[in-house]
Each structure stands twice: as structure tokens, then as C-alpha cells.
Amino acid sequence: MNLLVQKIRELINARGPITFKDFMQMALYDPGLGYYTSPGEKIGPRGDFYTSADVHPLFGTMLAKQFSQMWECLGRPQNWVLVEYGAGKGLLARDILSALGTSFRPAWESVRYYIIEISPELARRQKELLTAFPAEKVCWVNALSDVGNPGYINGVIFGNELVDSFPVHRVRQTRAGLKEIYINWRDGRLVEEEGELSTPLLEEYFTSMDITLVPGQVAEVNLAAREWLRQAAAGLDRGFVLIIDYGMESRELYHPSRFEGTLRCYRQHRLNTCPLDHVGRQDITTHVNFSALIRWGQEAGLHLAGYTTQMEFLLNLGIVEAIPRPSADYVFDERSMRTTMAVKKLILPEGMGGIFKVLALYKGLAQPYLTGFQKGQKGGVSHD
């Protein structure tokens, strides 16, 4: 039997059925056995999924451009930090640092880059990839409190495809009211079953969003994102929180057309909706509720700086103009062609460009002007 499944079974035998959130926490993050904490290729062609950083370094270059402007908004401090949660293979960190060092020297000279990474294997790979940068520029820490005392961080806290991997509660609307989905062990296997809500916060969540699910509808609730935002807000003195992830606003996210919710699993670049299969050996993810992130950010003392699609964000920052041009007209240039194809993948609205959203929150500043959110700023964010 899968060792992680055996561990989950023993927990259920001792405690009774566990919430899907607790199951997902173990499936992804159990030390040495969870998907993200065990050895093996996770990201890229030989892994299970791609991120924007895998597509082309220009993604990191555009972020570096936005971060440099954020540094300007901070008053060009002599010491500021970039804190990346969940840095994957380290590609994004490499591309951001390279672009800062090449094109944004004043911001580069005063920055220190911190990585908070839960996976020992990924942290090892990141360190190998980033050895070219000065040791004083890049640092790995276990928690935000290791970067600076609460309320003393000046800079940017960010995550690319971070929030979608937080463990979620799953619920189902029944004629008897909202029920939570639990994981139990029966007939020699893991099974789902309904039970009473494990926390009143689940009912409060839908009430605060003015959302009513239709009978039978399944949905996910990412309460872990609320706690993460609280920690980020508490850590900041002056600066920004930037979130890039796939998702939408609450009314679209919980529309009846998404009757079974948005939970998805990825294994060897194949999509499935069976989280109880391949436990610890496949990624489990859900769409992000950006309405909730904006509301929770505001509750934590953060203000909305901008919210838009990845397409508009990258176009506003000039990603198309950054594509290398052929040396002469009507001459085939393979480098330019490959870059153009990669940029299309990042910005096409029917793909990553539309599915992924970018949210910036700020604290301790006047309303900032951020280029990434200006021309294509999405209107009508409901904050519901």
C-alpha cells in the first residue's frame, strides 16, 4: 500500500473521518511523502504541469520591471526585499534577478531576495540554479518572520501559482443546508462522505460573498489564503503583496455552471478530477477566488492597487516590445520566432493570458501608479 495512504488511513482510524482540507494538506505537504515534499520532477516537460516561468524568461523580466517601479513607489530605499513564496525550480527568481541586474541596476543594488520554500528537493534545485548570484543577494528562510520582525518589512511579498495549491475545504449544498465533504476509509479504500461543517467560517464565507449554491453543487473554500494574507499584511511596514494565479471573482467562480467545483489533479500533464487516486504522486489544485482575496486583504489592512488579467498585465509592461526583432526585414530568425510563440502562450486570452489574473495590494503608501495595471485595468471588481 502507498505509505501516505497508509498514514492517512491510520489517522482516520484514530480520529474518524477527516476534512478534505486535512487530506489535501497531507497529500501535498506531508513531510517526505506529500507531492511537493517528496523527490521527483514536478514542474516542466518531465513533470506534471507548467508555470509561466517555464514558458519564457520574459515573464520574469516583466515582473522585474514592475518590481523596480514598486521600489520607486517606496521612495528608492537603500534596503528593500523581494519575498517569493514557493519558488518552484527557481526559474522565476533567476529571471527576475537577472533582469534587475541587467536593466534596473539602482533597484538591484539595494535588493535582497528571500525564498520561502516548503520542499527540500525544490530548495536544493533552486540553490543550484541561483549559485551565479552573490550569496548576500539570495537567502532561503522558513517563514516570513525570518525576513524581518512583524511590521518591519519594506518591499514586495509575492507568489506565482501559490494560492491555488493551498489546502481547501470542500462543501456541497443539500436541501438540508450546506454540508462538508470528509474523507473516510471504507471497504479497503479512501472514500468521500458528507458531514456537518467543521467550522462556522464556511457558512460565513458564502454569506459574506452573497453566494448561494444550487442544490447538489460542490464548491471549494480556501480559508488558508485568508491566513496567508493576514501574515503577509502583518509582516509589511510599507510595500506590496502581488498574487498571480488562475481564478476569477466569486460570482463567476460559484456559478451553477461549475456544478462540481474547480478541483483538478495533474499527473504527467494529464488532467483528472480524482484526488483520491495517486495520493502524494499528483498535484491537486483549485481556482482562486480573487473577490475573497481583495476582501480579506482589506480586512488585514491592505489596499487594492490593481487587478487585471495576465494578458493585460504583461502587455501593459511591454512584453511584445521586448521580443527580439530580426536583424533584417523578411529574414527568418529562429530566436525571434520562438520568443514570439512563447509570448503568445503567456498572453492569449483563451489560454494563460485570460485564465491567470494578477492582483496587487499595498500598505503604508499613497495610492500607487503601477504600469502593469493601467491601460488594461479590469473594471467592476465586485469585492463580493
Side-chain angles (χ1 to χ4, degrees), residues 7-299:
K7 189 172 182 178
I8 294 170
R9 183 191 67 176
E10 292 171 355
L11 179 64
I12 292 171
N13 288 339
R15 287 176 34 185
I18 61 175
T19 64
F20 187 86
K21 174 183 177 291
D22 289 342
F23 164 78
M24 186 171 170
Q25 175 70 36
M26 294 183 71
L28 295 182
Y29 302 110
D30 190 79
L33 296 176
Y35 176 76
Y36 283 111
T37 57
S38 58
E41 196 81 19
K42 315 296 182 187
I43 310 168
R46 294 181 296 174
D48 300 302
F49 60 91
Y50 288 97
T51 70
S52 294
D54 291 278
V55 176
H56 198 275
L58 275 178
F59 181 73
T61 300
M62 295 301 104
L63 280 179
K65 185 175 183 179
Q66 185 61 88
F67 290 153
S68 178
Q69 187 184 33
M70 289 173 168
W71 173 71
E72 297 273 357
C73 293
L74 287 166
R76 302 169 65 92
Q78 291 300 307
N79 295 288
W80 69 297
V81 300
L82 291 171
V83 183
E84 182 182 5
Y85 274 83
K89 295 184 294 186
L91 296 177
L92 187 56
R94 179 201 64 189
D95 298 338
I96 290 170
L97 288 166
S98 296
L100 285 175
T102 301
S103 304
F104 307 99
R105 289 296 300 184
W108 157 263
E109 289 169 1
S110 56
V111 74
R112 191 167 193 195
Y113 199 107
Y114 289 89
I115 292 176
I116 300 176
E117 179 57 65
I118 195 171
S119 167
E121 175 64 18
L122 287 174
R124 181 190 64 79
R125 295 191 60 179
Q126 293 158 12
K127 291 174 182 178
E128 289 178 354
L129 184 68
L130 300 175
T131 53
F133 298 100
E136 68 272 13
K137 282 292 181 186
V138 190
C139 183
W140 282 258
V141 294
N142 295 318
L144 192 60
S145 57
D146 297 327
V147 178
N149 294 326
Y152 285 93
I153 294 173
N154 290 319
V156 186
I157 299 168
F158 71 102
N160 178 50
E161 293 195 54
L162 170 74
V163 179
D164 68 82
S165 64
F166 288 171
V168 298
H169 294 269
R170 296 182 75 206
V171 298
R172 178 179 284 112
Q173 185 68 44
T174 72
R175 299 196 181 279
L178 196 64
K179 301 294 183 181
E180 186 160 3
I181 296 174
Y182 289 79
I183 303 301
N184 202 353
W185 183 266
R186 191 183 307 123
D187 299 327
R189 63 190 181 93
L190 295 169
V191 296
E192 295 182 354
E193 62 179 38
E194 292 177 8
E196 297 304 312
L197 300 181
S198 62
T199 170
L201 293 175
L202 296 173
E203 191 85 63
E204 293 171 14
Y205 171 86
F206 288 101
T207 300
S208 68
M209 299 288 163
D210 193 26
I211 296 295
T212 301
L213 305 176
V214 300
Q217 185 177 357
V218 174
E220 303 87 24
V221 180
N222 191 340
L223 295 179
R226 186 179 196 176
E227 181 58 32
W228 180 78
L229 272 173
R230 285 175 174 171
Q231 292 176 6
L236 276 180
D237 174 27
R238 298 171 67 247
F240 300 86
V241 176
L242 187 77
I243 298 168
I244 306 171
D245 225 315
Y246 47 87
M248 56 206 73
E249 296 170 53
S250 60
R251 292 194 180 280
E252 184 180 359
L253 182 66
Y254 297 118
H255 191 273
S257 62
R258 292 181 177 79
F259 192 76
E260 297 296 333
T262 66
L263 187 138
R264 301 290 184 269
C265 305
Y266 291 91
R267 178 173 166 83
Q268 298 174 349
H269 296 282
R270 294 179 181 175
L271 171 67
N272 72 80
T273 57
C274 305
L276 303 187
D277 294 342
H278 311 295
V279 179
R281 298 170 186 169
Q282 65 177 358
D283 189 25
I284 306 174
T285 179
T286 61
H287 280 49
V288 173
N289 183 353
F290 280 92
S291 297
L293 294 184
I294 293 169
R295 177 187 291 269
W296 291 338
Q298 291 172 336
E299 290 175 356

